[in-house]
Short mmCIF file of all heavy atoms in Angstrom, two decimals:
data_model
loop_
_atom_site.label_atom_id
_atom_site.label_comp_id
_atom_site.label_asym_id
_atom_site.label_seq_id
_atom_site.Cartn_x
_atom_site.Cartn_y
_atom_site.Cartn_z
N ILE A 6 -36.84 -23.37 -23.48
CA ILE A 6 -36.30 -23.55 -24.83
C ILE A 6 -35.85 -22.15 -25.26
O ILE A 6 -36.67 -21.25 -25.42
CB ILE A 6 -37.36 -24.09 -25.81
CG1 ILE A 6 -38.12 -25.29 -25.17
CG2 ILE A 6 -36.74 -24.45 -27.11
CD1 ILE A 6 -37.26 -26.41 -24.79
N TYR A 32 -49.20 -30.64 -20.98
CA TYR A 32 -49.13 -29.93 -22.26
C TYR A 32 -49.54 -30.80 -23.40
O TYR A 32 -49.25 -32.02 -23.42
CB TYR A 32 -47.71 -29.44 -22.51
CG TYR A 32 -47.27 -28.22 -21.80
CD1 TYR A 32 -46.79 -28.30 -20.50
CD2 TYR A 32 -47.30 -26.99 -22.42
CE1 TYR A 32 -46.37 -27.13 -19.81
CE2 TYR A 32 -46.86 -25.81 -21.74
CZ TYR A 32 -46.42 -25.92 -20.48
OH TYR A 32 -45.99 -24.79 -19.81
N LEU A 35 -48.50 -29.98 -30.35
CA LEU A 35 -49.25 -30.32 -31.55
C LEU A 35 -48.60 -29.77 -32.79
O LEU A 35 -48.04 -28.71 -32.80
CB LEU A 35 -50.68 -29.74 -31.45
CG LEU A 35 -51.43 -30.05 -30.16
CD1 LEU A 35 -52.81 -29.39 -30.18
CD2 LEU A 35 -51.54 -31.55 -29.89
N ASN A 70 -25.43 -32.74 -19.46
CA ASN A 70 -25.55 -32.57 -18.03
C ASN A 70 -26.44 -33.65 -17.49
O ASN A 70 -27.66 -33.64 -17.58
CB ASN A 70 -26.17 -31.20 -17.76
CG ASN A 70 -26.30 -30.87 -16.28
OD1 ASN A 70 -26.32 -31.77 -15.42
ND2 ASN A 70 -26.41 -29.56 -15.95
N ASP A 71 -25.78 -34.71 -16.93
CA ASP A 71 -26.53 -35.88 -16.45
C ASP A 71 -27.55 -35.55 -15.39
O ASP A 71 -28.64 -36.13 -15.33
CB ASP A 71 -25.53 -36.93 -15.96
CG ASP A 71 -24.74 -37.57 -17.07
OD1 ASP A 71 -25.16 -37.47 -18.25
OD2 ASP A 71 -23.69 -38.20 -16.79
N SER A 89 -34.82 -59.57 -27.08
CA SER A 89 -34.85 -60.80 -26.29
C SER A 89 -35.05 -60.54 -24.78
O SER A 89 -35.24 -61.49 -24.00
CB SER A 89 -33.58 -61.55 -26.49
OG SER A 89 -32.46 -60.77 -26.05
N LYS A 94 -37.59 -57.27 -16.60
CA LYS A 94 -36.16 -56.91 -16.53
C LYS A 94 -35.94 -55.46 -16.93
O LYS A 94 -35.06 -54.79 -16.40
CB LYS A 94 -35.34 -57.85 -17.40
CG LYS A 94 -33.84 -57.61 -17.40
CD LYS A 94 -33.24 -58.01 -16.03
CE LYS A 94 -31.68 -57.83 -16.08
NZ LYS A 94 -31.06 -58.75 -17.04
N LYS A 97 -36.26 -53.10 -14.08
CA LYS A 97 -35.05 -53.06 -13.23
C LYS A 97 -33.91 -52.26 -13.92
O LYS A 97 -33.23 -51.52 -13.24
CB LYS A 97 -34.56 -54.51 -12.96
CG LYS A 97 -35.57 -55.33 -12.14
CD LYS A 97 -35.12 -56.75 -11.95
CE LYS A 97 -36.15 -57.54 -11.19
NZ LYS A 97 -35.78 -58.98 -11.07
N THR A 131 -47.14 -53.63 -32.00
CA THR A 131 -46.87 -52.19 -31.93
C THR A 131 -47.65 -51.57 -30.80
O THR A 131 -47.12 -50.74 -30.02
CB THR A 131 -47.24 -51.52 -33.27
OG1 THR A 131 -46.42 -52.07 -34.31
CG2 THR A 131 -47.03 -50.02 -33.20
N ARG A 134 -46.25 -52.57 -27.41
CA ARG A 134 -44.97 -51.96 -27.17
C ARG A 134 -45.18 -50.52 -26.63
O ARG A 134 -44.53 -50.09 -25.73
CB ARG A 134 -44.11 -51.91 -28.45
CG ARG A 134 -43.52 -53.23 -28.86
CD ARG A 134 -42.58 -53.09 -29.99
NE ARG A 134 -42.04 -54.40 -30.35
CZ ARG A 134 -41.05 -54.57 -31.21
NH1 ARG A 134 -40.50 -53.51 -31.80
NH2 ARG A 134 -40.62 -55.78 -31.51
N ILE A 176 -52.59 -36.63 -10.87
CA ILE A 176 -53.25 -36.15 -9.66
C ILE A 176 -52.51 -36.66 -8.40
O ILE A 176 -52.29 -35.90 -7.45
CB ILE A 176 -54.73 -36.58 -9.62
CG1 ILE A 176 -55.51 -35.86 -10.71
CG2 ILE A 176 -55.33 -36.32 -8.25
CD1 ILE A 176 -56.91 -36.38 -10.91
N GLY A 190 -58.62 -34.47 -30.66
CA GLY A 190 -59.91 -34.49 -30.05
C GLY A 190 -59.98 -35.33 -28.77
O GLY A 190 -60.62 -35.02 -27.82
N VAL A 192 -57.42 -36.15 -26.72
CA VAL A 192 -56.54 -35.78 -25.63
C VAL A 192 -56.87 -34.36 -25.05
O VAL A 192 -56.39 -34.00 -23.97
CB VAL A 192 -55.06 -35.77 -26.11
CG1 VAL A 192 -54.71 -34.60 -26.96
CG2 VAL A 192 -54.10 -35.92 -24.95
N VAL A 199 -51.26 -25.65 -24.29
CA VAL A 199 -51.04 -26.18 -25.64
C VAL A 199 -49.95 -25.38 -26.32
O VAL A 199 -49.90 -24.16 -26.24
CB VAL A 199 -52.33 -26.17 -26.43
CG1 VAL A 199 -52.88 -24.77 -26.61
CG2 VAL A 199 -52.22 -26.87 -27.75
N ASP A 215 -57.71 -20.25 -22.49
CA ASP A 215 -57.53 -18.94 -23.12
C ASP A 215 -57.47 -19.06 -24.65
O ASP A 215 -58.00 -18.24 -25.35
CB ASP A 215 -56.26 -18.28 -22.60
CG ASP A 215 -56.35 -17.92 -21.16
OD1 ASP A 215 -57.48 -17.83 -20.63
OD2 ASP A 215 -55.30 -17.78 -20.51
N GLU A 218 -60.90 -19.66 -26.03
CA GLU A 218 -61.72 -18.50 -25.86
C GLU A 218 -61.57 -17.52 -27.04
O GLU A 218 -62.46 -16.70 -27.30
CB GLU A 218 -61.38 -17.81 -24.52
CG GLU A 218 -62.28 -16.68 -24.11
CD GLU A 218 -63.71 -17.14 -23.78
OE1 GLU A 218 -63.86 -18.34 -23.41
OE2 GLU A 218 -64.64 -16.38 -23.94
N GLU A 227 -72.41 -14.54 -47.20
CA GLU A 227 -71.03 -14.13 -47.50
C GLU A 227 -70.77 -12.67 -47.28
O GLU A 227 -69.79 -12.25 -46.69
CB GLU A 227 -70.72 -14.55 -48.96
CG GLU A 227 -69.40 -13.97 -49.50
CD GLU A 227 -68.16 -14.48 -48.75
OE1 GLU A 227 -68.22 -15.57 -48.18
OE2 GLU A 227 -67.13 -13.77 -48.76
N CYS A 261 -67.58 -3.51 -33.63
CA CYS A 261 -68.11 -3.79 -34.93
C CYS A 261 -69.54 -4.30 -34.79
O CYS A 261 -69.83 -5.21 -33.97
CB CYS A 261 -67.21 -4.84 -35.64
SG CYS A 261 -67.71 -5.20 -37.33
N HIS A 271 -67.69 -20.86 -30.60
CA HIS A 271 -66.31 -21.21 -30.40
C HIS A 271 -65.89 -22.50 -31.09
O HIS A 271 -66.74 -23.40 -31.23
CB HIS A 271 -66.01 -21.31 -28.89
CG HIS A 271 -65.97 -19.99 -28.18
ND1 HIS A 271 -64.96 -19.07 -28.35
CD2 HIS A 271 -66.82 -19.45 -27.26
CE1 HIS A 271 -65.16 -18.01 -27.62
NE2 HIS A 271 -66.27 -18.20 -26.96
N PRO A 284 -52.11 -25.98 -44.95
CA PRO A 284 -51.30 -25.20 -45.93
C PRO A 284 -52.13 -24.65 -47.07
O PRO A 284 -51.66 -23.78 -47.78
CB PRO A 284 -50.31 -26.23 -46.40
CG PRO A 284 -50.92 -27.56 -46.21
CD PRO A 284 -51.78 -27.38 -44.94
#
Side-chain angles (χ1 to χ4, degrees):
I6 314 300
Y32 281 83
L35 311 178
N70 185 336
D71 289 342
S89 61
K94 181 69 177 296
K97 296 176 182 177
T131 297
R134 284 188 182 189
I176 292 170
V192 77
V199 61
D215 294 339
E218 189 65 27
E227 170 64 25
C261 184
H271 285 291

